[in-house]
Amino acid sequence: MTTPPIRLLIHGASGRMGQALLRLAAERNDLQVVAAVTRRSPAQRVVDGVPHFAASELHGAPQFDVAIDFSLPEGFDPVLALCVERGAGLVSGTTGISETQRQALIQAATRIPLVWASNFSLGVAVLDELVERAAAALAGWDCDIVESHHVHKQDAPSGTALTLGAAAQKGGAQPHYASLRAGDIVGEHLVQFTGLGERIELTHRATNRDIFARGALFAAVQLNGRAPASYRVRDLLAASAT
Ligand code: NAD
C-alpha cells in the first residue's frame, strides 16, 4: 500500500520563498500542494494544477495536513488561526513577528505541532547545536559572532546571528556581534571561540536561497502527524536521524 502524499498549504505563495517552495514541492511525490495563498486575488485560479486563493479566501482552502508560511507579519495571525481550527501543523519562517504573535504561537503549540524558525537551513540547525556544545565546553573563552549579508539587508545583527547567540548563551558564553553588508552575499555566519593561544571557528555559508525552502519542506514532512508542541528544526533533524 502506498502512503498518500502530505497535503500542503503554501502561504505567501507569490513571494520569493513561496515560489521556491512550489517549485521544489512539485518535484516530489510525497508532497501535494492543495492550496497556494497570496495576499491579493491571484491572476490565475489554478497554476500547474495548484489551486490559488487570496488571503481573504483563506477559509475556503481545502483540508491540508501542514501549512508552510513565508509571508509577512500581517498575514501570520490568520494562517495560525486556520491551522488551529483545522488541527493542521504549521511551519513558519515569517520574520518580524511581534511579541503578541510569539505568545500566540506558544498557545497554539498546545493544540497543534508547529515550528517557527528565523532560518530553515539544516546546516544552521546543526551549527546551532555545535555552538551550544562548544560554549558549554569552553568556559571563559571569548565568543564572537560575525555575520555577512548583501547590501540590501536592513536589520543587523541578523535574526540567525541572534539565534546562534542565544545558543552560545545557553552554553554559558557571552557573545559579541559584528555585521558586514557587502555586495550580493546570501548569508554567512562565523561563530568564533577564542582562548589563550588557540581559536575555534565555526562557519556556515549559504550560497542559494533554496536551502530555506528545502529545510521548510523537511520540517513539514517531519511535523506531519506529530503531537502538538513547538519544535525546533534541530529537534526534527535529531528525530529523523534515529
Ligand atoms: P516576498 O516579499 O517575496 O513574499 C511575501 C509573500 O507574502 C507574497 O506572496 C505576498 O503575497 C504574501 N503576503 C504578504 N502579506 C500577506 C498577507 N497579509 N496575507 C497573506 N499573504 C501575504 O518575501 P520572501 O523573500 O518570500 O520572504 C517571506 C518571509 O519569509 C519574510 O518574512 C522573510 O523575512 C522570511 N524568510 C525567512 C527565511 C527562514 O529561513 N526563516 C528565509 C527567507 C525568508
Side-chain angles (χ1 to χ4, degrees):
M1 208 173 70
T2 53
T3 320
I6 297 169
R7 297 164 301 172
L8 299 178
L9 178 147
I10 306 290
H11 193 249
S14 61
R16 278 164 293 205
M17 285 300 297
Q19 289 292 299
L21 286 160
L22 288 172
R23 175 169 46 79
L24 293 170
E27 294 170 1
R28 296 175 54 159
N29 294 328
D30 58 336
L31 302 173
Q32 183 189 5
V33 180
V34 295
V37 182
T38 54
R39 182 169 42 150
R40 296 205 187 88
S41 287
Q44 277 179 269
R45 276 288 157 195
V46 179
V47 181
D48 296 331
V50 176
H52 278 54
F53 299 83
S56 58
E57 302 164 334
L58 192 57
H59 284 269
Q63 190 55 290
F64 58 92
D65 299 306
V66 182
I68 304 184
D69 164 58
F70 281 82
S71 60
L72 296 180
E74 307 87 276
F76 178 81
D77 295 348
V79 73
L80 177 64
L82 184 72
C83 289
V84 172
E85 197 180 300
R86 302 271 185 102
L90 174 66
V91 171
S92 177
T94 297
T95 58
I97 59 170
S98 67
E99 189 48 41
T100 310
Q101 289 173 317
R102 282 181 192 280
Q103 290 303 321
L105 266 178
I106 293 170
Q107 284 297 316
T110 61
R111 315 248 323 254
I112 58 167
L114 59 85
V115 51
W116 179 89
S118 60
N119 189 315
F120 268 94
S121 135
L122 300 185
V124 164
V126 173
L127 178 61
D128 195 64
E129 191 170 352
L130 294 175
V131 166
E132 188 178 326
R133 278 172 51 193
L138 302 170
W141 287 38
D142 288 320
C143 173
D144 295 279
I145 301 179
V146 184
E147 56 97 353
S148 310
H149 284 89
H150 51 87
V151 291
H152 304 292
K153 187 168 176 66
Q154 305 271 328
D155 57 318
S158 66
T160 303
L162 294 172
T163 302
L164 292 169
Q169 276 180 319
K170 207 166 168 208
Q174 296 299 321
H176 293 96
Y177 300 91
S179 300
L180 300 178
R181 295 290 170 263
D184 61 352
I185 300 171
V186 173
E188 294 186 8
H189 292 86
L190 159 69
V191 184
Q192 179 172 288
F193 292 93
T194 311
L196 294 177
E198 57 184 325
R199 186 163 73 199
I200 292 177
E201 298 176 352
L202 299 170
T203 303
H204 179 269
R205 293 191 181 92
T207 53
N208 187 315
R209 286 185 179 80
D210 278 3
I211 59 171
F212 308 121
R214 280 204 194 88
L217 293 175
F218 166 83
V221 170
Q222 293 299 320
L223 210 60
N224 184 40
R226 272 186 199 276
S230 177
Y231 296 90
R232 298 175 301 177
V233 180
R234 77 187 235 199
D235 300 328
L236 299 175
L237 259 179
S240 75
T242 55

